[in-house]
Amino acid sequence: MSVQSTSLTPDQATVSRGLALMAIAMLVVPSMDILGKLVSKEINGIQVAQWRFGIQALLILPFLLWLKGGRSFLPNRIGLNVIRAVLMAAAVTSFFTALRWMPVPDAIAVFFVEPLILTIMSAVFLKEHIGWRRRCAVVVGFIGALIVIQPSYEVFGAVSLLPILTAFLFATYLLLTKKLAATEDALTMQFFSGVIGFIFLALVAGTGTAAGISILAIVWPSPMQWIMLAGVGVIATVCHLMIVHAFKRAPASVLAPFQYLEIVSATILSYLVFQDVPDAWKWLGISIIIASGLYVWWRERQVS
């Protein structure tokens, strides 16, 4: 079954709740990116991501004990959940590393090729038929991404490509999330991914520190940095739980356009905190990416 469709017609009220959860999550999640950019000035992206997952696990643990009585620490499909957690850990690390140098709206704009990558992956891995119209929309969307990347690449170099890596990793994460959401408990999934993500990134950071790689060196956070890291963990946990529940209530193809709400609050918050505003070329690229993504979504609904 394709991740982009559902075999049963969901109840309209249930779908509406899924849409509301997705919309709220997308509007709130850029505040995590703002905090991540602030704290990543002195702490590397791996360590920021590591504590984001560690705090996620700590936050979910009491609810898991209270609601499940400690019976659901392990998911039903451990192997796939480990892969899902590692994918998310790598995606968060890649994005926080990009935010250390790139403006938040620029990084998020490039990341918006993720729905297009998800379309390609659905065709490759799920054997979903993708017509020439959607193939053209994917190409146009990547052209939009290049328009956003081009000036950033001149300033930041290869770092400006990290949001594309994030988009690829997150698209794969979403495929697994959709596959697992129907049979796994949301709290168990997020607790397990928090634990695995923390352990995986701790190993990476520890190995990098032992090898003398300065960019991976572990730094003990200051009290203010702990507060910001806690904020990153809280926002990430709440928003991703909302996303999991949204996928339980609505088809992925219906939820996809709501991801673009993220650019609204990202641009506003980035301006308020860093005075960063995309220039005319970046707005053009952002518009092309969003238009391409919305066309792919519309075309998928027409085909289905």
Side-chain angles (χ1 to χ4, degrees):
M1 183 180 69
S2 168
V3 74
Q4 299 285 334
S5 62
T6 180
S7 58
L8 299 176
T9 302
D11 177 75
Q12 187 60 46
T14 302
V15 172
S16 297
R17 286 193 290 270
L19 297 180
L21 287 170
M22 192 69 171
I24 295 171
M26 291 299 100
L27 288 172
V28 172
V29 78
S31 59
M32 175 189 69
D33 300 329
I34 297 294
L35 290 175
K37 182 175 178 64
L38 287 169
V39 75
S40 65
K41 291 180 179 179
E42 299 179 8
I43 299 177
N44 65 68
I46 288 179
Q47 197 174 349
V48 175
Q50 175 194 351
W51 287 108
R52 168 248 192 264
F53 283 100
I55 292 169
Q56 171 180 308
L58 289 174
L59 287 173
I60 293 177
L61 179 59
F63 291 98
L64 201 59
L65 291 172
W66 176 42
L67 296 173
K68 307 293 181 180
R71 298 186 302 273
S72 300
F73 287 115
L74 295 177
N76 297 320
R77 307 176 73 175
I78 295 177
L80 286 178
N81 275 278
V82 169
I83 296 172
R84 175 181 178 270
V86 171
L87 284 169
M88 192 58 187
V92 172
T93 299
S94 174
F95 197 70
F96 281 147
T97 302
L99 289 180
R100 185 171 187 173
W101 291 281
M102 292 182 67
V104 175
D106 292 22
I108 290 179
V110 177
F111 171 76
F112 276 167
V113 298
E114 177 270 318
L116 306 177
I117 293 175
L118 185 59
T119 299
I120 296 173
M121 294 179 69
S122 297
V124 173
F125 296 108
L126 302 178
K127 307 304 181 184
E128 179 180 318
H129 174 70
I130 305 296
W132 67 269
R133 295 179 181 85
R134 282 184 285 176
R135 290 199 297 267
C136 289
V138 168
V139 172
V140 171
F142 278 107
I143 292 173
L146 292 176
I147 293 174
V148 178
I149 289 172
Q150 191 273 330
S152 297
Y153 189 85
E154 293 179 357
V155 177
F156 306 112
V159 170
S160 60
L161 301 178
L162 286 176
I164 288 185
L165 175 61
T166 304
F168 172 77
L169 294 169
F170 192 71
T172 311
Y173 161 85
L174 284 182
L175 282 177
L176 283 178
T177 297
K178 183 61 180 178
K179 183 179 182 65
L180 294 169
T183 58
E184 300 282 3
D185 178 76
L187 278 177
T188 301
M189 285 177 69
Q190 293 308 102
F191 173 76
F192 189 78
S193 66
V195 172
I196 296 299
F198 180 84
I199 294 173
F200 171 72
L201 293 174
L203 291 173
V204 173
T207 302
T209 301
I213 303 174
S214 59
I215 195 172
L216 300 180
I218 296 175
V219 177
W220 188 256
S222 67
M224 180 54 66
Q225 288 168 340
W226 274 120
I227 292 174
M228 288 190 286
L229 288 171
V232 169
V234 170
I235 295 168
T237 302
V238 173
C239 287
H240 281 274
L241 280 172
M242 293 172 72
I243 290 171
V244 170
H245 281 287
F247 273 111
K248 282 179 175 288
R249 290 165 171 77
S253 59
V254 176
L255 295 173
F258 285 79
Q259 295 180 62
Y260 295 114
L261 289 174
E262 192 173 346
I263 194 62
V264 177
S265 55
T267 302
I268 294 172
L269 290 172
S270 188
Y271 173 73
L272 293 175
V273 178
F274 304 110
Q275 287 72 55
D276 289 332
V277 179
D279 59 25
W281 280 104
K282 289 176 182 175
W283 276 122
L284 174 62
I286 290 170
S287 300
I288 291 173
I289 294 169
I290 292 176
S292 301
L294 290 177
Y295 178 81
V296 167
W297 164 76
W298 174 80
R299 185 60 188 169
E300 286 171 350
R301 290 180 64 84
Q302 292 295 310
V303 170
S304 64

